[in-house]
Amino acid sequence: MKPTMQKYYEDTVFAALKEELGCVNPHQVPRLEKIVVTTHCGGASDRKQAVEDSVEEIAKITGQKPSVSYARKSVANFKVRAGEAVGARVTLRGARMWEFLDRFIHITAPNIRDFRGISPKSFDGRGNYAVGIPDQSIFPEVELDQIKRQIGFDLIFVTTAETDDAGRALLRALGMPFRETVKKEESAA
């Protein structure tokens, strides 16, 4: 059975984007390819335990076990040795990706403190969007009384769009709660 968000994309968003962007070929219509959830624990004094905690938290949030990232070089100033665990990441595709996107848009994003929308400026020039989450307490899968440490995340929404405008149109059509930018009008007086 297809996730609700995937059905919504196929039934409604696809046709609307094809018309809005003027795509002739259906393969030109942008689609969501994957969502990457990453975290870095480089600043923690007990880095090994911090990585284990972040792996546990990401697994709860995404429903998929993350892979651990290791340092490639030793850096004395940061007290990091080559081969030491410094973070975790998980790549969501298919049904898990659509389910995560649905939960993020409708449940998690509105739980952000003083939420007025997500900044529409974090595009990379090729239609991919990144957003930083300051702590894991906004996710409903995390039990607040069992949080050992505050862990921040980066969510990267990778699309097949070739421009930022096409990627923004795709995410906005899927329901991403972007903040409305207010342009300041300068008076000619």
Side-chain angles (χ1 to χ4, degrees):
M1 187 168 144
K2 288 185 182 179
T4 309
M5 189 63 91
Q6 185 177 4
K7 284 182 186 177
Y8 176 69
Y9 171 77
E10 291 172 356
D11 297 343
T12 310
V13 174
F14 183 83
L17 280 177
K18 186 174 180 182
E19 184 178 319
E20 179 184 337
L21 300 174
C23 299
V24 179
N25 188 332
H27 296 290
Q28 291 176 320
V29 178
R31 66 182 183 282
L32 194 61
E33 203 169 271
K34 61 186 173 183
I35 298 175
V36 182
V37 181
T38 63
T39 187
H40 187 267
C41 305
S45 58
D46 56 340
R47 196 173 293 123
K48 186 175 182 181
Q49 184 61 42
V51 170
E52 289 175 11
D53 292 343
S54 63
V55 164
E56 186 180 311
E57 295 293 333
I58 290 177
K60 280 183 199 173
I61 292 166
T62 62
Q64 184 172 318
K65 186 178 179 192
S67 63
V68 177
S69 303
Y70 298 96
R72 286 181 261 164
K73 292 182 179 181
S74 295
V75 181
N77 290 341
F78 298 122
K79 299 177 183 168
V80 174
R81 292 186 176 150
E84 189 175 11
V86 291
R89 71 172 172 263
V90 66
T91 303
L92 302 172
R93 299 175 198 265
R96 278 202 179 118
M97 173 190 72
W98 290 108
E99 291 290 336
F100 181 82
L101 179 67
D102 192 17
R103 284 194 323 260
F104 179 74
I105 289 173
H106 296 105
I107 299 169
T108 305
N111 281 343
I112 297 172
R113 185 181 309 194
D114 299 331
F115 183 68
R116 292 193 176 106
I118 296 173
S119 173
K121 298 179 181 179
S122 297
F123 282 88
D124 67 349
R126 300 183 144 226
N128 303 320
Y129 181 70
V131 62
I133 304 295
D135 67 16
Q136 74 272 30
S137 64
I138 62 170
F139 291 96
E141 297 86 4
V142 176
E143 296 176 26
L144 296 177
D145 58 341
Q146 293 188 359
I147 293 177
K148 297 174 187 170
R149 70 182 75 235
Q150 185 175 354
I151 301 169
F153 298 105
D154 286 326
L155 304 177
I156 297 111
F157 298 91
V158 181
T159 67
T160 59
E162 294 184 10
T163 64
D164 286 348
D165 292 333
R168 192 174 291 111
L170 168 66
L171 292 175
R172 185 166 279 141
L174 286 171
M176 187 68 76
F178 286 122
R179 184 180 316 132
E180 294 299 321
T181 55
V182 179
K183 295 182 179 179
K184 295 180 181 177
E185 295 182 22
E186 296 180 24
S187 60

